[in-house]
Amino acid sequence: MRRRDLLSLAALAPALSGRRAAAQERTERAARGMPSPKIKDVSVIATQPGGVRLVVVKITTDQDGLYGYGCATFTQRADLVVPAIEKYLKPFLVGKPADRIEDTWQACYDSSYWKNGPVLNNAISGVDQALWDIKGRQAGMPVYQLLGGKCREAAATYTSVSGADTAQVIEGAKRAMSQGYKHVRLQVGVPGMSAYAAGGGQADRPKALHDRPVFEPKAYILRAVKMLHEARAALGAEVELLHDIHERVSPREAVQFAKDVEDVKLFYLEDALSPEDLTYFRQIREQCNTALAMGELFNSPHEWMPLISERLIDYIRIHISQAGGLTPCRKVAILCEQFGVKTAWHGPGDVSPIGHACNLHLDLASYNFGVQEGGIIRGVEAEIFKGVPTYKDGYLWANDSPGWGIEVDEKLAAKYPFRPGRDGLNGGWGDVRRLDGTVIKQ
Ligand code: MG
């Protein structure tokens, strides 16, 4: 180096050193003013105030009064999610920063090496949503503000109407519409059979080669297609109608079903296919214009990426905790926007109120929001989870308190422990079979 250059550097050195010192001082001042919280404890609230088992993670930090809640509810295997949190994620996380959500999610996701299963994803979701809650409480903002703020004042929600026959379904839909619902899901029962979300009335169970609940796809298809046409005629063109096949028919039957109800102009047809048969969505797309929703059983990007990027569905139905929480699902929402797919996050009774709040905050902040299932919490559950979303005239409203805006009465939750459940299955589902004894997907 030439002497002149060395002299220039020597002249600059005090200035550089001064700038570095000032930056250091700013960092230290910021750190003194708002120190990074550390994870002090990770605990589980396991409660069953209603029919389903709810699992919620609580993360407490080393800062007084700074904590958060996240939904980890996989009600059919709830007892397995609890040790995944307590025995694996808790020791992995205690002492780590509570304000690095993305980094924490990636570290947890990778820490099992094998991943993308519902038990581990739910455990991670509990942690992830609790960290978003903490971030909101730190900022003094609801989570939807952290996501960019509201795109709309409230989120349209739908209710599910079921009946043993078409007349009951139409009657129920009219009642829902009078309560302000602009979207109504219609499900009809099949006499003597265990159809999804609808009883079969007083009819005798058909003769079968076994003693388990029965279901025959053909009987259901004939009844459901007829019901949807008659309901549209009775309810008018304006109300948005939805229907869930719940993956109960074969791929070939699903393609035909979507074609047969094209004139009904459904808001969407849900779960026409099972995750094992996703490639058949292309055939439905090629043959009709029925809007399609899919995804409540998805756990992995390998499942949702092809459907979104090839524009094979219209609504993504992921169950946010099953996919690992808000962190991955806000990315899915943004991905969907680029491909013209809207969101319709799964929100039945087996999502905890924290999970419902997460759904709603993402609904409010996503431009490509479609519709929200469920989210109306009443009774003891609303007493345990104070601050749950409220319903008015077909819309769900979030409160504006920081984080999810929900405080959990943990003492009250403890009064409702898990119960053994029907047939002692600990929340697991029983089997449903065709007349000959073949198991069907539920
Ligand atoms: Mg469904």
Side-chain angles (χ1 to χ4, degrees), residues 87-254:
K87 293 192 174 179
Y88 295 94
L89 293 182
K90 178 181 173 179
F92 183 69
L93 292 170
V94 168
K96 287 193 168 70
D99 59 357
R100 299 188 180 189
I101 301 174
E102 177 71 28
D103 179 72
T104 303
W105 191 92
Q106 298 291 349
C108 289
Y109 182 65
D110 200 55
S111 70
S112 61
Y113 185 47
W114 278 278
K115 48 205 163 196
N116 289 319
V119 171
L120 299 185
N121 277 3
N122 268 283
I124 295 171
S125 167
V127 168
D128 177 70
Q129 292 183 15
L131 294 182
W132 279 99
D133 195 15
I134 288 170
K135 184 76 82 184
R137 290 168 190 253
Q138 271 188 294
M141 293 179 181
V143 172
Y144 66 74
Q145 289 288 9
L146 305 182
L147 300 174
K150 286 183 177 177
C151 291
R152 57 192 56 78
E153 303 308 316
T157 185
Y158 69 83
T159 189
S160 186
V161 166
S162 61
D165 55 37
T166 296
Q168 283 184 15
V169 174
I170 291 172
E171 190 185 319
K174 286 181 176 171
R175 199 163 43 244
M177 290 161 69
S178 74
Q179 294 166 356
Y181 283 101
K182 291 130 189 96
H183 302 73
V184 187
R185 192 183 75 165
L186 307 180
Q187 305 292 142
V188 68
V190 184
M193 295 193 187
S194 296
Y196 166 71
Q202 301 300 315
D204 290 338
R205 177 178 176 277
K207 198 173 174 191
L209 305 184
H210 58 90
D211 62 359
R212 305 302 301 154
V214 297
F215 179 83
E216 278 295 329
K218 187 80 174 179
Y220 151 72
I221 290 168
L222 291 170
R223 206 164 164 85
V225 169
K226 187 166 179 286
M227 177 275 288
L228 289 169
H229 280 97
E230 290 176 5
R232 174 58 82 197
L235 300 172
E238 286 196 19
V239 63
E240 298 286 9
L241 302 180
L242 298 72
H243 180 71
D244 190 352
I245 291 182
H246 222 253
E247 57 169 352
R248 283 195 166 202
V249 303
S250 72
R252 184 60 42 223
E253 290 167 328

Side-chain angles (χ1 to χ4, degrees), residues 376-396:
I376 303 170
I377 297 129
R378 299 188 176 98
V380 180
E381 217 170 295
E383 288 176 38
I384 294 172
F385 297 90
K386 292 182 170 58
V388 293
T390 49
Y391 170 83
K392 190 180 176 192
D393 292 335
Y395 294 95
L396 288 172

